[in-house]
């Protein structure tokens, strides 16, 4: 229990948007930011359990802070933080695909959104053993390394077929436009009367 408390206090000492907001709130209210963070986490958990709009709140939690942190990572001179957030987005995207197919079933379970929110928080935790890092290195990366050549081949074939199809459609459209333009009769500007085409 003490190690969990130490991690929590270490998390509150880091410089980020949430800790800065907690620090400002602590300065205004005089309430220790540990209590403010605990109260906010409790209210958030209760809302995710019983509140209307829990799916939206859960998705905002999984998207807003990581998007903010990703922008900061892009703007920073180091690239290590870019890798951390790229790993998160790969896991987030894969989770979104899996959730799409299982959401109708899983959303009926009690505490689903609390569990989903806890999973997303675990994936973005600022520790080296966070969920995104673990899932990427233990599941996604081995699967990718095993199958990436086959996937690249399929994607290359599909993109070639898509380009061929797009070129064929464009050619057909241009031919149809040229044919329809040939059917339009020229107009005499002096009389504004349509002149009959020769051979018609």
């Amino acid at each position: 229990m003490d190690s969990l408390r130490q991690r929590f206090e270490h998390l509150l000492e880091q410089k980020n948007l949430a800790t800065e907001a907690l620090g400002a709130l602590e300065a205004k209210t005089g309430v220790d930011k540990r209590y403010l963070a605990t109260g906010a986490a409790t209210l958030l958990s209760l809302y995710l359990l019983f509140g209307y709009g829990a799916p939206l709140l859960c998705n905002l939690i999984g998207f807003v802070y990581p998007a903010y942190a990703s922008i900061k990572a892009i703007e920073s001179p180091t690239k290590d933080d870019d890798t951390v957030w790229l790993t998160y987005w790969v896991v987030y995207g894969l989770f979104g695909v899996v959730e799409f197919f299982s959401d109708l079933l899983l959303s009926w379970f009690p505490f689903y959104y609390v569990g989903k929110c806890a999973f997303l928080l675990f994936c973005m935790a600022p520790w080296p053993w966070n969920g995104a890092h673990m899932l990427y290195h233990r599941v996604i990366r081995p699967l990718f390394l095993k199958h990436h050549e086959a996937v690249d081949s399929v994607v290359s074939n599909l993109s070639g077929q898509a380009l061929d199809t797009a070129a064929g459609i464009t050619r057909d459209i241009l031919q149809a436009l040229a044919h329809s333009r040939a059917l339009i009769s020229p107009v005499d500007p002096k009389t504004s009367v349509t002149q009959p085409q020769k051979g018609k």
Side-chain angles (χ1 to χ4, degrees), residues 60 89 117-118 126:
L60 285 174
W89 289 115
C117 189

Side-chain angles (χ1 to χ4, degrees), residues 119-137:
F119 172 74
L120 291 174
L121 288 171
F122 174 58
C123 285
M124 70 176 87
W127 300 300
W129 49 266
N130 73 10
H133 181 80
M134 286 174 31
L135 282 171
Y136 179 78
H137 287 285

